[in-house]
Amino acid sequence: MRQRAPPASPARTPRSTLQSVLRRAHLRLAFVAVAMAAVSLIVVAVIALRAYAGNNLNLMARSLGYTVEAALVFGDRIAAAEAIGLIANKEDVAEVVVTDGRGLPFAAWQLPAGSAIARLEREVADIALPGPATAVVLHDGVVVGHVEVRGQGHQFFGFLLGGVGGILACLAVSVLGAYVSAQRLRRNIVAPLRALARVAHAVRRERAFGQRVEPVAIAELNQLGDDFNALLDELEDWQNSLREENASLEHQAKHDALTGLPNRVQFESRLARALCDAAVMGQRVAVLYLDCDRFKEINDCLGHEAGDAVLIGIAARLRTQVREADLVARLGGDEFAVMLAPMREAASAGRIAEGVLASMAPTIVLPDGRTVATMMSIGVALYPDHARDAIGLLRAADAAMYRAKRARPGSWQFAEGVVGPA
């Protein structure tokens, strides 16, 4: 049966930063505002300038009509051309055409073609400015001719260039203002949010619940930071509570609930580690296996409360007879074990066993005031003499304890046999 391949994880979509989004929003807003204002102003100005240009052309046509009136009456074409040229050269005029009363051409003037800019000005004038202005030339109430004037568009073109330049300048100023505003927003909005994100990242990745967000000037962001800090307080309390609970559960899993001593699981684990260290260092480790000789009698005759008191008393006395580096554990029931590591010589283990037996001689006071005497039988096994692993060492010590109990309760014995070299 063919196995289906796991679905590919979706590619992460690149996301814009808040600072870039705000900067783009400011630039768009500035551009739209400046563009709308500029377009509105240019449209209004074009309408006004168009009306002004139309009126100006009409005035120019009438003025030229008065000028060429005499030339039309007397038929002097040369005088008419000179008069037209004299006036048109000083005005924003591209072409002047004079016709007589019958509509025939009489005189004309046209601005030289000039540069490409001049030609562009005329094309713009033909599109944006009103058509040619026409004036009737009268002499004693009789129509003697007509004057037609076409504008050059130089002033209009200059206005357009000035408008475009003004728009670009406003855009430049707006971009600068948007940049300054974006920097201020970065300090007031983006920087606090980044600080909040850094704390959240540290909490999520490093479990640094002790970090907090600093107060900021903006009320909403400050409230957000306060709420986030309050949440961190709750999480920190929860983490501490969970840590304490885990520590308690771990202690319960590795210690005896009655005496507080390590249990069999922890004793075997630490014994195995001690044997590994001893193998590396070439040292000895001793295990004392202890059993209470009269515990069942005490439990049956005096009750379980008395039995618990005896076990607690034994545990307390065992702690006083060993070194701080040694380990005392309750293996279960009335059985205890002591690990002596390191152990220089076998005789030292024997002396400690005798000290333990001597400490058990005084009676134990029960909760009700009565006293009870108890004895311990002890078996002693040494590493690497009697076993080379934790389980084997405990078995050897256990067997030695039973031999001591059978031989004489309240005594101790070494394990029998010697393990050969590995």
Side-chain angles (χ1 to χ4, degrees), residues 64-66 68-69 72 98 135-139 142-147:
L64 289 173
Y66 295 142
V68 299
E69 178 184 352
L72 284 170
V98 179
V136 178
V137 182
L138 298 175
H139 179 72
V142 179
V143 176
V144 295
H146 297 81
V147 177

Side-chain angles (χ1 to χ4, degrees), residues 214-293:
E214 298 295 332
V216 295
I218 299 178
E220 291 81 1
L221 293 179
N222 189 68
Q223 182 63 42
L224 177 62
D226 290 342
D227 293 340
F228 187 74
N229 288 338
L231 178 62
L232 289 181
D233 291 337
E234 296 179 6
L235 289 176
E236 187 175 18
D237 293 340
W238 172 78
Q239 185 193 40
N240 293 334
S241 176
L242 186 62
R243 185 183 292 113
E244 293 174 359
E245 183 177 354
N246 289 339
S248 176
L249 291 175
E250 184 179 3
H251 185 272
Q252 293 176 14
K254 296 182 178 180
H255 291 77
D256 174 54
L258 177 64
T259 62
L261 295 176
N263 58 16
R264 178 183 288 271
V265 174
Q266 185 179 6
F267 183 82
E268 291 179 353
S269 174
R270 291 183 59 178
L271 177 59
R273 292 199 300 270
L275 295 183
C276 291
D277 295 340
V280 174
M281 303 298 295
Q283 297 174 338
R284 280 181 169 181
V285 177
V287 170
L288 278 61
Y289 204 107
L290 303 92
D291 182 83
C292 183
D293 293 324

Side-chain angles (χ1 to χ4, degrees), residues 47-113:
I47 295 174
L49 189 59
R50 182 182 176 87
Y52 169 77
N55 293 332
N56 190 46
L57 286 177
N58 289 327
L59 291 173
M60 181 64 62
R62 287 197 294 270
S63 176
L64 289 173
Y66 295 142
T67 303
V68 299
E69 178 184 352
L72 284 170
V73 171
F74 295 103
D76 191 350
R77 296 175 182 271
I78 297 176
E82 292 178 353
I84 293 171
L86 184 62
I87 296 174
N89 280 325
K90 300 178 180 179
E91 302 294 336
D92 189 18
V93 177
E95 185 180 10
V96 178
V97 177
V98 179
T99 57
D100 56 17
R102 293 173 296 177
L104 298 176
F106 182 77
W109 178 89
Q110 189 174 15
L111 185 69

